[in-house]
Amino acid sequence: MRHTLLLATFACATAASAQYGTFDKKAVAAARGATTIVLRDAHDSPYNTGLLNAVKADWKFTANTDFSSVNDLVTAPVNPANIYLVKLRKTDQEKHTATFLALVQGWKLKKGEMLQVEDDALTNVPPEQELASIMIDAKLLDNGGNALLGIYVKNLQDYLKQVEAGKITDKATADRLYAGRNRFIKEQELWVAKEQLDKSVADLSAIKGTYKQEVKLMDFTQLLAAVSKGQPGVCVADVVITGEHKTKWCFRRVFNASTGELMYQRDEAALYDKKLGFIAEDLRILEQSR
């Protein structure tokens, strides 16, 4: 074992937290010397293609990377000297379940301990081993949306960068940093897909009634084009909906299309098919940001 990961200040990233990880900058600095093992799905999938493309194009957190599958991690010992880019499935105390793309520090398994996999996601990784995570819509990534993995891979590295620089030291400082980026969206074009809007904000005129800045409403495939190119000067909307019926929840984010920086985040219950996407309140917050 090359080092022992100390995560005393770790904040548990439950299904209700769409972004976060460790707050220990020493843990992040130590992880930079590791090899990143990129874990693909056990079967061929669009997710695999998108993840490999994203890592090859933009992974700079460690100098060394290797590729394997999630099933290999279950059958072979976890190496404490490695870090793993993998899907996690997590459920919080209110039984909200979500899937995350996460960077996990390897650890020594206890005698008889086995990793569990559900739909190509690990379900029993100790929370204290997570370095960074971002909530994803796994089904969307396998059905035309895998270009978003480029955003998510950049985003994880931005989070780690902020922790290592001491700008994120707990959840409060993370929230303040992301809220402080809201105003920069107004300096760029905001791209929103029609599919990402709640029915209460049905068209461009409804958006412009609240948000007076540069905004483009388009099909989801058009939005993905900006993501694929890492287009400068553009911020892209992103929506993840989790749960069903009484546990349905909507997570709304805006990312910088070029850097992957998280520029805006907000979430709330989406019961009775309400608030299933960006709503007027999101636009008001962005318009009034200073």
Side-chain angles (χ1 to χ4, degrees):
M1 182 185 301
R2 291 194 297 176
H3 59 266
T4 300
L5 183 64
L6 299 176
L7 292 177
T9 56
F10 176 83
C12 181
T14 67
S17 300
Q19 161 84 73
Y20 302 116
T22 184
F23 301 135
D24 185 349
K25 64 181 182 180
K26 292 182 179 179
V28 175
R32 281 194 178 275
T35 294
T36 301
I37 309 298
V38 180
L39 296 176
R40 307 182 304 269
D41 289 348
H43 59 285
D44 289 337
S45 66
Y47 170 85
N48 285 351
T49 302
L51 183 62
L52 296 183
N53 289 343
V55 169
K56 289 177 180 178
D58 295 305
W59 188 255
K60 300 176 177 64
F61 179 68
T62 59
N64 299 316
T65 57
D66 201 356
F67 299 89
S68 186
S69 81
V70 66
N71 278 6
D72 293 334
L73 187 60
V74 173
T75 57
V78 177
N79 188 341
N82 293 335
I83 57 177
Y84 297 87
L85 188 60
V86 61
K87 280 191 291 191
L88 303 183
R89 180 73 58 81
K90 295 186 284 186
T91 303
D92 65 17
Q93 293 180 349
E94 282 73 39
K95 297 184 179 181
H96 295 108
T97 299
T99 302
F100 295 76
L101 180 66
L103 190 66
V104 174
Q105 175 67 54
W107 73 101
K108 185 176 181 180
L109 292 174
K110 298 176 183 178
K111 185 176 181 181
E113 183 181 4
M114 296 288 292
L115 291 177
Q116 299 171 5
V117 178
E118 180 181 328
D119 294 331
D120 293 298
L122 297 176
T123 61
N124 64 333
V125 171
E128 63 269 18
Q129 299 307 126
E130 292 180 40
L131 291 165
S133 63
I134 185 75
M135 187 182 291
I136 62 175
D137 183 338
K139 291 182 179 179
L140 178 65
L141 297 180
D142 266 336
N143 289 276
N146 66 350
L148 288 169
L149 283 160
I151 289 281
Y152 299 148
V153 163
K154 292 176 186 176
N155 173 265
L156 293 178
Q157 293 174 96
D158 177 67
Y159 178 83
L160 295 166
K161 175 183 175 181
Q162 306 308 323
V163 172
E164 192 172 17
K167 295 182 179 180
I168 290 179
T169 57
D170 54 23
K171 184 178 182 299
T173 53
D175 289 343
R176 283 198 297 270
L177 184 145
Y178 295 135
R181 290 174 174 174
N182 291 175
R183 70 185 188 276
F184 298 120
I185 297 174
K186 296 192 290 186
E187 299 174 4
Q188 305 182 66
E189 288 185 353
L190 174 60
W191 288 19
V192 184
K194 298 171 185 176
E195 298 88 338
Q196 296 170 330
L197 291 176
D198 180 66
K199 58 187 177 183
S200 63
V201 188
D203 52 32
L204 187 59
S205 63
I207 295 173
K208 296 292 283 186
T210 302
Y211 186 71
K212 310 298 183 181
Q213 316 305 317
E214 280 294 319
V215 58
K216 291 184 177 179
L217 183 62
M218 60 193 66
D219 292 332
F220 184 62
T221 53
Q222 292 175 279
L223 183 143
L224 290 178
V227 173
S228 300
K229 296 174 184 176
Q231 190 162 333
V234 171
C235 290
V236 293
D238 185 39
V239 174
V240 177
I241 297 172
T242 65
E244 296 180 2
H245 193 42
K246 293 184 179 181
T247 62
K248 187 172 286 189
W249 210 269
C250 181
F251 295 83
R252 305 184 290 276
R253 296 93 64 97
V254 176
F255 294 96
N256 183 304
S258 177
T259 66
E261 292 171 308
L262 181 60
M263 310 294 285
Y264 174 78
Q265 62 174 348
R266 190 164 181 261
D267 65 90
E268 59 194 309
L271 305 179
Y272 310 110
D273 290 333
K274 295 181 179 179
K275 300 181 180 179
L276 290 175
F278 279 80
I279 59 176
E281 180 65 10
D282 298 305
L283 302 170
R284 184 196 65 77
I285 291 171
L286 295 180
E287 176 65 25
Q288 296 180 359
S289 61
R290 297 289 185 269

